[in-house]
Amino acid sequence: MDSNILEFPLTRDQRQARERLVDAMREFNAAVKSAAKTGLEVDFSPVTAYATYSATPLTLVSVAANIPGKLPSIDVEEF
């Protein structure tokens, strides 16, 4: 018996969101490669966020890039 799995069609908003994610990941990966080529260390950390439109928490990504072995200088007055 040949079983075909039919997927529900995506809405226009879902298709656009999927395309934006694909484009964003391509750009993000290119930026990470560029940073690595210049000698920056890139650090990724998951961040849990809660939204009123989602029953489950969202996982976002926090990214930092520093020169290896150096701490970024932060001017406290900027905050």
Side-chain angles (χ1 to χ4, degrees):
M1 178 176 167
D2 184 24
S3 62
N4 292 327
I5 299 174
L6 300 176
E7 294 184 21
F8 287 103
L10 298 175
T11 66
R12 179 178 54 86
D13 288 344
Q14 289 170 328
R15 285 192 310 273
Q16 288 176 342
R18 182 179 60 190
E19 289 170 11
R20 286 185 68 196
L21 285 171
V22 169
D23 292 342
M25 286 308 304
R26 282 191 184 121
E27 182 65 27
F28 180 77
N29 288 335
V32 170
K33 289 177 186 177
S34 176
K37 286 179 183 178
T38 64
L40 293 176
E41 281 185 352
V42 182
D43 180 56
F44 307 90
S45 302
V47 177
T48 302
Y50 298 89
T52 57
Y53 53 83
S54 177
T56 57
L58 304 172
T59 302
L60 305 179
V61 179
S62 174
V63 180
N66 297 312
I67 298 171
K70 303 279 184 182
L71 293 176
S73 60
I74 298 174
D75 187 358
V76 178
E77 292 179 19
E78 291 178 11
F79 294 102

